[in-house]
Amino acid sequence: MASRVRQRTHYQGSIAGSVPGLLDAVDMDNDGDTLSSLSINDDARTLATMSLSQSHRSPYLHPTHQATASTSTFNTHSNTQPIPIPSASQTPVPTAPGTPRISASRTPSSLRHASNAALPEAGHATKRRPTSPSGGREGKGNRSGREQKIRTNPRLPHAHDVPIAPATTMYWSRAPVHGALPMHNTRAHTVTLVDHVAWMFGGCDDKGCWRDVYCFDTETMHWSHPEMLGDIPPPCRAHTATLVDRKIIVFGGGQGPVYYDTTYILDTTTRRWYAPNFPAQSQPQKHIPDQQSQNPSQVSDPVHPAPRRAHTAVLYLGKIYIFGGGNGLTALNDLWALDVSRLDSSLRSGSTESGLKWSLIKTHGDLPAPRGYHTANLIGNVMVVVGGSDGRECFSDVWCLNLDSLIWTRVNLTVSHRRLSHSATQVGSYLFIVGGHDGNSYSSEILFYNLVNLQYEPRAVRGSPPSPRGYHVTIVADSRLFLFGGFNGHDVFDDVYTLDLAGAAYLPQVMSFRIEV
């Protein structure tokens, strides 16, 4: 084998009793968004400056914002009792599509943290070229005044950097990337694999959110920064990006106190963005209940999902299923479906309105608690949801939703692991759950979840793993797991790591299986 050379109440009382490990965290976001990505940070530099009287505070509020309304994904506010989360039977408030939700204004954080990006090493040629004005961050200057960093030679590992390990063992190493490197560190972004090219969009660093698209060739480790055309989305983070044929469907997300309910489509062939409208759904639909109903008045059904971020999306039988997230007021556990079966015909006709339609999906059985920063993977006809948080608690549960019967089932685990802001990628009959936060600290551990017996299993991994982090992205390409960016509580990363799967990942696999729920 080849040599290996992440209503406005801060829950001080409720959290202290149940999850004391979450109390010592502060956020360093200075894009006007206090923990809208649920960053549970362990910034020792900031904690050292805090008085002992401030040690017991909500982990979802920045210390500079204790007297003002928070704008986290699961919003909280001081000196009030926790607002009860709506039950699953309650209908979400209808919202007019296309209008972001904006939380209470407040003064952005003044904290600044240095990027962890290393300076170019001696002996590695680096060039700079002017960048396209199509990308960048709005409201923070035009990228046309910045220079694109070009690395002409990859930084290859040396013998002293490579621990010896058996060739059949899964092995971590830092990717020797080159090309037009991203001009910022990234967390809460998305990476979508199209053939052998990974398309990275959005995310944020310690200064704000981004709207750039970068392409990473998983075969050559080469970064490129193509110019985009059309209706380019605003800067955003904590959105979803779902591949439909060769088009990437982006929904939700936000920046600062702004939450999006908009949908964008990126055609990766033409590199053109489209912004579809939903005029037929701009008003709530009404229906008359059965005559036996105790409430004979008309009832309004929402026809478009509320603005949100930190949700998940899976594609099944021509529909994108959106689950959970946070809308700036509370965590969510509703399920929506976007019909994209006529997407191609809509784009060819020049009208992106006729082929797309949202619908609220009614499910059965016990529902998962409202949550965001969980993961969802489609395994056959089953959506598997792992972990997440409602802004007060870090969850360890695993749920399965049969998308044919629409019945939720909670998995009985013999061993459980609390996780939020992690990533979960299917490798055969396993989910590789990487990193995230466990309620106390960030982790670099890989949890191996067996999709046949629906239990966690230990597995040996060698090499030089990435540092503990959350809010990263992982994908599988060419028998390797790629990890992009992330956040460890005080640093935002721009690195790329690879996990060579090798025989240890595939020998225990069950090639044909089905989750029976």
Side-chain angles (χ1 to χ4, degrees), residues 249-293:
I249 314 298
V250 173
F251 172 73
Q255 66 167 330
V258 182
Y259 290 72
Y260 303 149
D261 67 348
T262 48
T263 303
Y264 287 88
I265 303 169
L266 173 60
D267 189 326
T268 60
T269 302
T270 62
R271 297 178 179 175
R272 178 174 292 276
W273 284 100
Y274 298 89
N277 297 315
F278 303 88
Q281 296 177 306
S282 60
Q283 299 296 328
Q285 295 175 342
K286 295 183 177 180
H287 69 272
I288 300 177
D290 297 336
Q291 295 180 355
Q292 297 180 351
S293 175

Side-chain angles (χ1 to χ4, degrees), residues 7 38 40 75 94 96 150-151 172 211 239 251 261 267 312 367 384 389 393 402 413 442 445 459:
Q7 200 183 47
L38 258 184
I40 305 179
N75 228 343
I150 304 295
R151 180 180 295 168
W172 276 116
R211 61 192 297 188
H239 51 282
F251 172 73
D261 67 348
D267 189 326
T312 54
L367 300 180
V384 180
S389 175
E393 180 181 358
N402 187 309
L413 299 172
Y442 285 94
E445 181 184 11
R459 194 73 60 79

Side-chain angles (χ1 to χ4, degrees), residues 284-359:
Q285 295 175 342
K286 295 183 177 180
H287 69 272
I288 300 177
D290 297 336
Q291 295 180 355
Q292 297 180 351
S293 175
Q294 297 180 357
N295 184 12
S297 61
Q298 289 186 336
V299 178
S300 297
D301 282 341
V303 294
H304 194 281
R308 67 188 65 205
R309 55 188 176 215
H311 51 285
T312 54
V314 300
L315 175 68
Y316 180 65
L317 296 181
K319 293 183 178 180
I320 298 176
Y321 289 86
I322 303 290
F323 172 68
N327 65 3
L329 300 175
T330 185
L332 305 170
N333 65 348
D334 53 347
L335 181 70
W336 288 85
L338 176 63
D339 189 342
V340 293
S341 59
R342 298 177 57 192
L343 177 61
D344 285 337
S345 60
S346 298
L347 295 180
R348 283 196 301 267
S349 65
S351 171
T352 56
E353 301 173 357
S354 59
L356 302 177
K357 182 180 180 181
W358 284 104
S359 57

Side-chain angles (χ1 to χ4, degrees), residues 6 36-37 39 186-191 201-205 209 236-240 253-254 309-310 373 470-473 484-487 492:
R6 302 35 249 204
S36 61
S37 64
S39 302
T186 313
R187 63 165 171 144
H189 50 296
T190 55
V191 179
F201 169 67
C204 66
D205 59 8
C209 292
C236 73
R237 60 190 260 176
H239 51 282
T240 54
R309 55 188 176 215
Y373 288 102
Y471 309 100
H472 53 279
V473 180
F484 298 84
F487 178 64
V492 185

Side-chain angles (χ1 to χ4, degrees), residues 229-510:
L229 305 173
D231 302 315
I232 300 175
C236 73
R237 60 190 260 176
H239 51 282
T240 54
T242 309
L243 184 65
V244 181
D245 295 328
R246 300 181 65 83
K247 300 171 182 62
I248 299 174
I249 314 298
V250 173
F251 172 73
Q255 66 167 330
V258 182
Y259 290 72
Y260 303 149
D261 67 348
T262 48
T263 303
Y264 287 88
I265 303 169
L266 173 60
D267 189 326
T268 60
T269 302
T270 62
R271 297 178 179 175
R272 178 174 292 276
W273 284 100
Y274 298 89
N277 297 315
F278 303 88
Q281 296 177 306
S282 60
Q283 299 296 328
Q285 295 175 342
K286 295 183 177 180
H287 69 272
I288 300 177
D290 297 336
Q291 295 180 355
Q292 297 180 351
S293 175
Q294 297 180 357
N295 184 12
S297 61
Q298 289 186 336
V299 178
S300 297
D301 282 341
V303 294
H304 194 281
R308 67 188 65 205
R309 55 188 176 215
H311 51 285
T312 54
V314 300
L315 175 68
Y316 180 65
L317 296 181
K319 293 183 178 180
I320 298 176
Y321 289 86
I322 303 290
F323 172 68
N327 65 3
L329 300 175
T330 185
L332 305 170
N333 65 348
D334 53 347
L335 181 70
W336 288 85
L338 176 63
D339 189 342
V340 293
S341 59
R342 298 177 57 192
L343 177 61
D344 285 337
S345 60
S346 298
L347 295 180
R348 283 196 301 267
S349 65
S351 171
T352 56
E353 301 173 357
S354 59
L356 302 177
K357 182 180 180 181
W358 284 104
S359 57
L360 178 64
I361 306 300
K362 306 294 184 181
T363 59
H364 311 286
D366 294 333
L367 300 180
R371 66 191 63 206
Y373 288 102
H374 52 287
T375 56
N377 297 81
L378 182 69
I379 311 299
N381 64 336
V382 176
M383 182 175 72
V384 180
V385 175
V386 178
S389 175
D390 62 357
R392 296 171 294 179
E393 180 181 358
C394 182
F395 297 129
S396 62
D397 49 1
V398 176
W399 291 80
C400 293
L401 174 64
N402 187 309
L403 293 177
D404 292 327
S405 64
L406 298 177
I407 297 177
W408 283 104
T409 303
R410 180 169 181 168
V411 178
N412 293 321
L413 299 172
T414 56
V415 177
S416 62
H417 301 270
R418 297 195 300 174
R419 284 295 185 272
L420 70 88
S421 75
H422 54 286
S423 66
T425 306
Q426 183 184 4
V427 180
S429 58
Y430 284 80
L431 285 183
F432 282 39
I433 300 172
V434 182
H437 201 283
D438 64 3
N440 296 308
S441 62
Y442 285 94
S443 172
S444 60
E445 181 184 11
I446 303 180
L447 303 176
F448 299 93
Y449 186 71
N450 190 322
L451 295 169
V452 177
N453 60 20
L454 301 181
Q455 299 295 326
Y456 289 102
E457 295 181 1
R459 194 73 60 79
V461 178
R462 304 290 293 275
S464 302
S467 59
R469 67 188 66 194
Y471 309 100
H472 53 279
V473 180
T474 54
I475 61 172
V476 166
D478 192 26
S479 297
R480 287 177 291 192
L481 185 77
F482 288 82
L483 181 148
F484 298 84
F487 178 64
N488 68 359
H490 48 85
D491 288 322
V492 185
F493 299 110
D494 67 345
D495 48 11
V496 179
Y497 276 81
T498 61
L499 176 69
D500 287 297
L501 298 177
Y506 292 108
L507 290 177
Q509 296 282 358
V510 176

